[in-house]
């Protein structure tokens, strides 16, 4: 089975200053594989500063990894040239967080759809281009006559975000990187955008990497989840297992902080330790905030294989056998139990 | 909620209209509610439903082309709408405080946090000594879990959650009786969000203020507030206690809102509300929700429903409940 995308020990370090340069590890040794013929939805979750967006930027080829390689269909993305590069640009698409900022206010929204058609020569005649636009808009639940020819400010946030999804869809991508696609959209429209994304995966065979801090939506659309904290993988596995029985203290904190819209599930009463600026770069990155921190935590814990589809990087689970970081993908189910 | 308690805030028949080139938009239409000391009210609705306009109207900060057309906002028996401009300026922060959306942008980037806090106190004519004012500011920072060292820092040295807490500290400096928090956590991640909400809860108890939390996150409302008010195109369509709202919403829009929420049981089920919120410039006749309503009747298309009190203390604006009142 061919790999669509492969991350091999990817790390990203940002440094600032010329003399006495300070460096911040944004992403530490991530290895990950997505298979070509098994479209899935994978969530990357974590709070601000956990390295989620850095991962998105790396996958899109906007920044290069400090160490490690990102392989897209057998080729390192930093060395892609000519047609390969064009193909990569077409096949890997993004939907960003802010549905307001991606539009140029001086153009009608058609611009966002016609530019990629021209750029990638998707249509031979204007009529064909128009047909493709209509098809893509219909696929995301918009009526073309409602939105085409309008200016961005005349549309709602939800409509704009769906046009972004439509633009991605137009290019028939293989991989969609969705970086917080619903965090700025009204709750009543979230459902329809998430549904659009899920249909994209189910009906069009597009793999989606869903980047978010919102575990509620992650739970609803994803099959697998990777929880990041300060660039390190804290927990990974099947989304149901991880959210229903989180094993890492950090995942527990995240799950406890979800404002569930039910009256029976309240926020936990434990006080939260504030995150320290900087923090130490050795050992478990969460240990300064962890209520269960031990002496041992000063060395980096490996991923412990707790269940078949769940692993956590925490010494609390040291009775289980450890699993090498590059085998992370084995923990991530492609399909949820319901579909399997 | 003490029944015998006198409400600290009484908003009655508040109306705001925006006069735009393409017509008049009624952003607030006959909004009335009351709030007791120490009570937390959640104000929810889609973008453009008038939530933020309500907050600004209560602060008398509506700018042209918007205009407050009528109504009263009484705090402790004093009608804010009748105050002179100078008295209203004094009332802001000391009687009613506003914690804005996106704290990142509401602090002055070129002055220290401390001087922004001191400013707030001085501009309300408090003539205490420098040391006393400074102590008061440091105490406010401490009460929102910030290090006193923040006093000497600039906004860019703080994280988003810390800046939001600075805004809360400014909000409580003069111990107002009403605090309006307009989506205070919409830009923060879940853990920080929980910390900020817990901070608001604690300082609210310290000064026994009433809190109005504006937002569209029903989950946050379930966790935080005592009562929920649902707005739709400028009107309050339902006001109920949080428990009633989540277990048995009476207005069809509130019901649709509740059933569109994701939870652990209904994995993979996405149920949005059909249709789009109407533009305030072209509101449908009768009840403005009728084109999207699942229980629409003939009367809804022609007659504007009135707000009625049902099932004890719940307010609902819907023709379905005409007989019960």
């Amino acid at each position: 089975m061919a790999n669509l995308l492969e991350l091999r020990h990817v790390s990203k370090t940002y440094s600032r200053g010329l003399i006495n340069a300070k460096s911040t590890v944004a992403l530490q040794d991530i290895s990950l594989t997505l298979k070509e013929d098994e479209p899935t939805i994978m969530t990357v979750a974590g709070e601000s500063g956990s390295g989620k967006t850095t991962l998105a930027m790396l996958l899109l080829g906007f920044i290069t990894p400090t160490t490690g390689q990102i392989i897209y269909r057998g080729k390192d993305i930093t060395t892609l040239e000519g047609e390969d590069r064009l193909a990569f640009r077409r096949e890997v698409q993004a939907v960003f967080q802010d549905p307001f900022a991606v539009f140029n206010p001086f153009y009608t929204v058609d611009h966002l759809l016609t530019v990629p058609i021209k750029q990638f020569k998707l249509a031979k005649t204007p009529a064909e281009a128009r047909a493709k636009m209509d098809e893509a808009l219909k696929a995301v639940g918009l009526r073309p006559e409602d939105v085409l020819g309008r200016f961005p400010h005349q549309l709602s946030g939800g409509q704009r975000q769906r046009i972004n999804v439509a633009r991605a869809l137009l290019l028939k991508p293989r991989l969609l990187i969705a970086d917080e696609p619903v965090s700025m959209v009204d709750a009543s429209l979230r459902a329809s955008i998430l549904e659009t994304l899920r249909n994209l995966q189910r009906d069009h065979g597009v793999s989606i990497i869903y980047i978010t801090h919102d575990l509620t939506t992650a739970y609803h659309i994803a099959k697998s989840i990777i929880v990041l904290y300060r660039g390190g993988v804290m927990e990974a596995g099947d989304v149901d297992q991880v959210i229903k029985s989180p094993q890492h203290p950090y995942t527990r904190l995240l799950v406890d902080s979800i404002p569930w819209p039910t009256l029976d599930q309240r926020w936990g009463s434990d006080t939260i330790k504030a995150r320290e600026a900087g923090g130490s770069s050795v050992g478990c990155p969460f240990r300064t905030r962890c209520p269960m921190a031990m002496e041992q935590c000063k060395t980096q814990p490996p991923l412990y294989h707790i269940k078949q589809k769940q692993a956590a990087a925490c010494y609390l689970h040291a009775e289980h056998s450890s699993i090498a970081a590059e085998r992370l993908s084995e923990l991530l189910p492609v399909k949820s139990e319901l579909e399997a | 909620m003490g029944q015998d308690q006198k409400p600290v805030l009484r908003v009655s028949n508040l109306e705001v209209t925006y006069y735009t080139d393409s017509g008049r938009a009624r952003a607030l239409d006959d909004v009335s509610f009351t709030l007791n000391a120490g009570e937390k009210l959640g104000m929810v609705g889609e973008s453009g439903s008038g939530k933020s306009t309500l907050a600004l109207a209560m602060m008398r900060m509506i700018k042209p082309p918007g205009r407050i057309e009528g109504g009263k906002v009484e705090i402790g028996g004093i009608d804010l709408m009748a105050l002179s401009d100078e008295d209203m300026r004094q009332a802001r922060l000391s009687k009613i405080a506003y914690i804005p959306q996106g704290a990142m942008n509401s602090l002055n980037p070129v002055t220290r946090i401390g001087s922004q806090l001191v400013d707030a106190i001085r501009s309300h004519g408090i003539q205490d000594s420098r040391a006393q004012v400074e102590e008061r500011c440091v105490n406010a920072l401490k009460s929102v879990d910030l290090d006193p060292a923040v006093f000497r820092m600039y906004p860019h040295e703080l994280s988003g959650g810390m800046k939001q807490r600075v805004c809360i500290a400014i909000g409580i400096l003069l111990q107002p009786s009403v605090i309006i928090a307009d989506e205070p956590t919409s830009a923060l991640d879940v853990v920080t969000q929980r910390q900020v909400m817990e901070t608001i809860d604690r300082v609210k108890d310290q000064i026994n203020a009433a809190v109005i939390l504006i937002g569209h996150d029903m989950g946050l409302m379930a966790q935080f507030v005592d009562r929920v008010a649902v707005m739709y195109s400028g009107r309050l369509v339902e006001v109920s206690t949080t428990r009633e709202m989540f277990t048995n919403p009476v207005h069809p829009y509130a019901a649709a809102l509740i059933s569109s929420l994701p939870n652990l049981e209904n994995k993979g089920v996405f149920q949005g509300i059909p249709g789009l919120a109407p533009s305030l410039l072209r509101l449908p006749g009768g009840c403005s929700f009728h084109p999207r309503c699942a229980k629409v009747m003939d009367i809804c298309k022609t007659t504007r429903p009135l707000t009625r009190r049902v099932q004890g203390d719940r307010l609902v604006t819907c023709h379905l409940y005409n007989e019960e009142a």
Side-chain angles (χ1 to χ4, degrees):
Chain A
M1 236 185 309
N3 290 337
L4 180 65
L5 185 84
E6 201 182 338
L7 270 71
R8 289 190 193 149
H9 300 284
V10 171
S11 298
K12 178 72 189 174
T13 314
Y14 292 108
S15 41
R16 63 175 176 199
L18 210 56
I19 307 157
N20 299 327
K22 275 189 207 161
S23 57
T24 313
V25 179
L27 210 58
Q28 194 161 26
D29 195 15
I30 307 282
S31 298
L32 203 62
T33 311
L34 285 178
K35 295 267 189 333
E36 193 154 355
D37 45 5
E38 292 181 337
T40 184
I41 302 183
M42 179 192 289
T43 293
V44 178
E47 58 184 35
S48 347
S50 60
K52 318 185 287 280
T53 300
T54 298
L55 183 65
M57 296 294 144
L58 283 168
L59 291 174
L60 290 165
F62 293 167
I63 53 176
T64 52
T66 311
T67 58
Q69 279 181 306
I70 301 173
I71 314 284
Y72 180 73
R73 305 181 81 187
K75 288 182 181 142
D76 189 326
I77 62 165
T78 55
T79 63
L80 288 176
E81 277 177 348
E83 276 193 14
D84 286 345
R85 186 165 176 76
L86 207 61
F88 171 74
R89 275 276 165 265
R90 185 171 66 78
E91 289 170 4
V92 181
Q93 286 298 320
V95 175
F96 293 108
Q97 179 171 15
D98 191 342
F100 300 81
V102 294
F103 285 95
N104 184 336
F106 292 112
Y107 291 106
T108 60
V109 294
D110 308 23
H111 188 70
L112 196 84
L113 300 169
T114 50
V115 166
I117 290 181
K118 276 188 205 138
Q119 174 76 21
F120 296 107
K121 302 185 179 64
L122 297 180
K124 291 188 185 74
T125 62
E128 196 186 342
R130 171 71 201 222
K132 284 208 175 223
M133 280 156 67
D134 284 5
E135 186 196 355
L137 288 171
K138 278 180 192 145
V140 297
L142 290 172
R143 281 191 298 271
E145 60 272 24
D146 280 0
V147 293
L148 290 179
R150 300 256 207 132
F151 283 95
H153 69 266
Q154 295 173 307
L155 301 175
S156 73
Q159 283 177 314
R160 272 181 283 201
Q161 194 64 297
R162 275 187 278 177
I163 293 174
N164 284 323
V165 179
R167 185 199 56 86
L169 182 65
L170 193 68
L171 297 166
K172 303 256 180 292
R174 296 172 152 267
L175 180 63
L176 187 69
I177 318 273
D179 189 357
E180 304 261 17
V182 294
S183 69
M184 292 185 64
V185 178
D186 265 349
S188 55
L189 287 168
R190 266 180 205 183
S192 59
I193 290 175
L194 290 175
E195 197 176 5
T196 308
L197 287 176
R198 192 189 52 181
N199 294 346
L200 214 56
Q201 180 260 335
R202 203 177 50 196
D203 308 335
H204 298 263
V206 182
S207 278
I208 297 175
I209 296 185
Y210 180 74
I211 295 175
T212 187
H213 65 250
D214 179 2
L215 294 180
T216 338
T217 54
Y219 172 77
H220 279 268
I221 74 162
K223 319 287 183 223
S224 55
I225 185 167
I226 297 173
V227 180
L228 290 181
Y229 183 74
R230 288 208 173 155
V233 176
M234 296 292 109
E235 187 161 353
D238 179 271
V239 76
D240 276 292
Q241 285 173 19
V242 171
I243 291 180
K244 284 188 178 153
S245 75
Q247 297 298 322
H248 194 285
Y250 175 61
T251 322
R252 243 174 256 162
L253 172 66
L254 271 185
V255 173
D256 272 350
S257 302
I258 299 177
W260 291 106
T262 50
L263 297 162
D264 322 315
Q265 258 167 312
R266 310 302 297 195
W267 272 336
S269 52
D270 316 339
T271 49
I272 311 167
K273 280 191 203 168
R275 186 167 48 153
E276 284 171 30
S280 61
S281 51
V282 288
C284 172
F286 188 59
R287 81 186 137 88
T288 48
R289 289 172 82 187
C290 185
M292 283 166 268
M294 302 174 283
E295 194 55 31
Q296 229 181 336
C297 300
K298 285 180 184 163
T299 54
Q300 174 74 40
L303 271 177
Y304 288 107
H305 202 166
I306 296 164
K307 284 180 209 152
Q308 199 201 343
K309 295 288 184 197
Q310 188 173 13
C314 181
Y315 286 118
L316 292 174
H317 303 285
E319 77 272 16
H320 300 277
S321 60
S322 64
I323 178 165
E326 57 264 30
R327 289 175 58 208
L328 184 65
S329 296
E330 292 170 26
L331 298 164
L332 306 172
V334 177
K335 291 194 176 84
S336 63
E337 284 161 33
L338 285 168
E339 293 167 61
Chain B
M1 265 185 295
Q3 296 298 330
D4 49 335
Q5 220 174 347
K6 227 180 143 216
V8 58
L9 171 74
R10 184 187 294 277
V11 174
S12 31
N13 312 98
L14 196 58
E15 281 187 30
V16 172
T17 306
Y18 288 96
Y19 291 88
T20 69
D21 290 343
S22 30
R24 282 170 36 165
R26 210 173 220 201
L28 284 188
D29 185 357
D30 200 12
V31 171
S32 307
F33 61 92
T34 60
L35 204 57
N36 294 329
E39 198 186 358
K40 292 174 287 187
L41 175 73
M43 191 68 69
V44 296
E46 287 165 277
S47 341
S49 61
K51 309 181 299 264
S52 295
T53 300
L54 175 63
L56 293 174
M58 289 171 67
M59 298 292 290
R60 264 178 66 186
M61 291 190 334
I62 298 281
K63 288 186 191 128
R67 214 165 72 192
I68 300 172
E69 304 277 60
K72 285 181 178 175
V73 178
E74 288 163 287
I75 294 179
I78 299 166
D79 181 13
L80 298 183
M81 296 301 143
L83 294 179
S84 70
D85 284 350
E86 175 57 23
D87 287 344
M88 186 59 216
R89 192 182 69 75
Q90 293 293 344
R92 290 185 195 118
L93 219 58
S94 61
K95 283 193 168 36
I96 182 166
Y98 178 57
I99 300 170
Q101 189 171 6
M104 301 51 209
N105 310 322
S106 48
L107 294 171
N108 185 341
V110 295
T111 47
R112 293 178 198 273
I113 299 296
S115 71
Q116 302 188 39
L117 288 162
V118 171
D119 232 24
I121 293 183
R122 289 290 185 211
S123 68
H124 282 81
I126 289 162
Q127 299 297 338
D128 293 353
S129 74
R130 195 190 161 86
Q132 277 171 311
V133 169
E134 214 162 288
E135 195 194 326
R136 199 159 160 180
C137 296
V138 168
N139 283 337
L141 289 175
K142 278 186 193 154
S143 68
V144 295
D145 278 333
L146 286 172
D147 193 280
V150 170
F151 191 78
R152 307 237 164 269
M153 288 187 183
Y154 286 98
H156 73 265
E157 296 175 83
L158 307 176
S159 71
M162 288 167 89
K163 275 187 266 194
Q164 191 64 69
R165 273 181 272 165
V166 169
C167 287
I168 299 171
I170 294 175
I172 58 161
L173 263 181
L174 298 171
Q175 314 205 326
S177 30
V178 178
I179 299 173
I180 306 172
D182 191 355
E183 305 213 18
T185 58
S186 60
L188 307 174
D189 62 67
V190 281
V191 178
T192 321
Q193 165 173 292
R194 180 175 149 196
Q195 283 173 311
V196 168
M197 294 322 293
E198 284 169 354
T199 308
I200 293 181
D201 210 17
R202 211 182 46 244
V203 298
K204 175 214 72 132
D205 286 342
Q206 281 167 14
I207 62 176
N208 195 29
V211 174
I212 299 178
L213 177 69
I214 295 174
H216 58 238
D217 186 345
M218 285 300 254
L220 197 58
M221 297 296 167
Q223 301 294 330
F224 185 73
V225 300
D226 307 316
R227 275 199 298 160
V228 183
V230 179
M231 280 195 99
Y232 190 79
S233 61
R235 297 193 77 183
L236 281 181
V237 295
E238 180 171 349
V239 184
S240 297
T241 64
T242 309
R243 180 155 292 281
E244 288 165 340
M245 183 65 83
F246 278 87
T247 50
N248 173 30
V250 285
H251 194 279
Y253 175 66
L257 208 58
I258 297 291
S259 63
S260 73
L261 297 172
N263 59 43
L264 276 175
E265 279 78 51
N266 62 357
K267 175 166 175 148
V269 180
F270 300 107
Q271 194 177 13
I273 303 174
L276 287 173
S279 156
L280 290 174
L281 292 167
R282 289 179 303 277
L283 279 185
C287 169
S288 52
F289 184 60
H290 85 255
R292 301 170 77 186
C293 185
K295 294 182 180 171
V296 62
M297 303 177 289
D298 284 339
I299 185 173
C300 306
K301 294 170 188 164
T302 52
T303 316
R304 187 173 170 276
L306 298 172
T307 305
R308 295 167 197 282
R309 198 171 290 275
V310 295
Q311 298 172 18
D313 214 17
R314 307 176 70 173
L315 295 177
V316 61
T317 310
C318 180
H319 288 303
L320 284 175
Y321 301 92
N322 282 354
E323 301 84 44
E324 278 188 49

